[in-house]
Amino acid sequence: MKKLNFKGRKHAVTATCLLVGMFVLTSAVYANYDNARGYTNYKDAVKDLVFYQDNFTADGKMSILIDGEEMAAVNGNFKLNGDDYYIRTVSEEKFSNQDNKDESLQISKGGKKISYYPTSEPDSYYEYESSDSIRPDMSDPTMKKGIRFAELFADTMVGDLKNNFVLTSKDGDNRNYSVNVSGSQIPEVVNAGISLIFTAANNQDYSQYSSVEYQDYQKAFAAFYKEQTGKELTEEMYNEWNEEVEKANEDFYDKYTDILSSKNNKGIVYVKADGTYDYYKTYDAYAKNVQMNSLTEQNIMKMLGSDPYIDNASCHFTLDKEGKIVANELEASMSGVDESGKKHTITMKISYTVSDYGTTKIEAFDTEGKTKRN
């Protein structure tokens, strides 16, 4: 190659301008490449985290807001190291017009699993053998095809919005992306599907509907179990479901279905948390006296009417130099009008961070001050 030799100040300035221009052009090419691949980069990072990474730590929160008020939230901490894992969740909800908080901890380490429920049983824990893996079997052809189908379905739903994923900044080796979508940009197929679901739900005929409904199935069953056996039904017993618990559950189920049968299988038998019940001759009477006091799935459907729409949606995420996801924030709001013409908005927020790739360790459960119950 012939050596380039720039002589004099004039040529030096020209050379500098050429080099700067080349640098700017090259940077723009790479920036546009990142923008063009924003959606693909995100999809690949999420797939990698969910299905392939076997050592990391994730901390996150998911919340639901109705008309600006947070009605439910789950905070979680997840650690994975091969087949060993640590899962801690703290949840709180207000759907039943009362604050309900719950905390649980699951630790699997060395083939043994620990279950701990500090909210209901702060002084107890349960330990048992466990060989189950929390990771999906990626050698299973059905799993691979299922993932591929989900990926293609997501691509179809996102449509041209994939072009809205923009590289916003670089922070060292990390790249920050963002996408913000207004309601008018949502693909028509998405809004049509939402409208179909809500219309079908809100137009359902409940005049002949009859069933046994429960205020809190687990608490009502626990009350029945204690009445029948004289023993407390622990969280672990409920989750493990041995023969004794299964038999008691069958008797519990039969008790209230027999009551409904005695009413010619018409109306609603509403079982309260303490095991007592109320009977309503029609679904409308049940909905008026019970569902009006809490936010159920059907109430939320009615709250948004038959033609709800997505107001806006956003996604912000950060990838490291290897394309691994390190942070993600998602938010989407759906609005609709109820029967009285009042507008309501339901918002879902999800945020999480991922750290300690390849260095996460699962610590043993601290049993001090606690009693093993099994």
Side-chain angles (χ1 to χ4, degrees), residues 95-128:
F95 286 112
S96 55
N97 285 339
Q98 58 184 0
D99 291 345
N100 290 319
K101 297 181 180 180
D102 189 42
E103 181 178 355
S104 69
L105 176 65
Q106 307 288 325
I107 299 177
S108 180
K109 183 177 175 67
K112 292 187 180 295
K113 182 178 177 181
I114 296 289
S115 296
Y116 177 50
Y117 308 96
T119 305
S120 56
E121 301 178 81
D123 302 321
S124 306
Y125 71 96
Y126 301 86
E127 180 181 325
Y128 48 94

Side-chain angles (χ1 to χ4, degrees), residues 236-254:
E236 188 64 21
M237 292 167 63
Y238 185 82
N239 290 333
E240 287 300 300
W241 213 255
N242 60 29
E243 291 183 5
E244 181 183 62
V245 174
E246 184 173 356
K247 175 61 170 61
N249 184 66
E250 291 175 358
D251 295 339
F252 173 69
Y253 177 82
D254 290 342

Side-chain angles (χ1 to χ4, degrees), residues 48-108:
D48 178 60
L49 177 68
V50 174
F51 298 112
Y52 298 103
Q53 290 296 327
D54 63 359
N55 185 287
F56 62 88
T57 297
D59 296 278
K61 178 181 179 179
M62 180 177 70
S63 58
I64 297 175
L65 294 81
I66 297 181
D67 293 339
E69 180 183 359
E70 186 175 273
M71 298 299 296
V74 178
N75 289 276
N77 175 231
F78 177 76
K79 298 180 181 181
L80 181 66
N81 180 16
D83 290 333
D84 297 341
Y85 60 84
Y86 169 103
I87 305 174
R88 178 177 178 267
T89 60
V90 180
S91 61
E92 181 176 3
E93 58 91 3
K94 301 177 182 177
F95 286 112
S96 55
N97 285 339
Q98 58 184 0
D99 291 345
N100 290 319
K101 297 181 180 180
D102 189 42
E103 181 178 355
S104 69
L105 176 65
Q106 307 288 325
I107 299 177
S108 180

Side-chain angles (χ1 to χ4, degrees), residues 131 144 179 194 212 219 249 271 293 300 302 311 325 338 365:
S131 58
K144 291 181 179 179
V179 56
I194 292 173
V212 178
K219 288 182 178 179
N249 184 66
V271 183
N293 296 321
I300 291 175
K302 289 185 177 297
D311 254 338
I325 197 161
D338 64 18
F365 178 69

Side-chain angles (χ1 to χ4, degrees), residues 212-258:
V212 178
E213 303 289 341
Y214 299 88
Q215 181 183 26
D216 188 313
Y217 188 95
Q218 185 173 344
K219 288 182 178 179
F221 176 46
F224 176 84
Y225 183 84
K226 185 174 183 179
E227 177 185 335
Q228 297 296 309
T229 67
K231 297 183 293 185
E232 297 286 345
L233 180 68
T234 64
E235 187 82 21
E236 188 64 21
M237 292 167 63
Y238 185 82
N239 290 333
E240 287 300 300
W241 213 255
N242 60 29
E243 291 183 5
E244 181 183 62
V245 174
E246 184 173 356
K247 175 61 170 61
N249 184 66
E250 291 175 358
D251 295 339
F252 173 69
Y253 177 82
D254 290 342
K255 175 181 177 178
Y256 297 105
T257 54
D258 288 346

Side-chain angles (χ1 to χ4, degrees), residues 284-343:
D284 288 342
Y286 161 71
K288 180 179 180 181
N289 288 278
V290 177
Q291 289 203 36
M292 66 181 296
N293 296 321
S294 62
L295 280 170
T296 64
E297 178 183 345
Q298 287 154 322
N299 276 348
I300 291 175
M301 288 284 194
K302 289 185 177 297
M303 181 183 293
L304 295 179
S306 296
D307 289 301
Y309 54 92
I310 297 177
D311 254 338
N312 54 72
S314 64
C315 174
H316 310 282
F317 61 96
T318 301
L319 306 181
D320 66 12
K321 62 180 179 181
E322 297 176 348
K324 297 176 182 176
I325 197 161
V326 295
N328 195 186
E329 294 182 6
L330 304 103
E331 181 175 332
S333 294
M334 183 183 296
S335 296
V337 178
D338 64 18
E339 294 177 345
S340 64
K342 183 178 180 181
K343 180 181 176 180

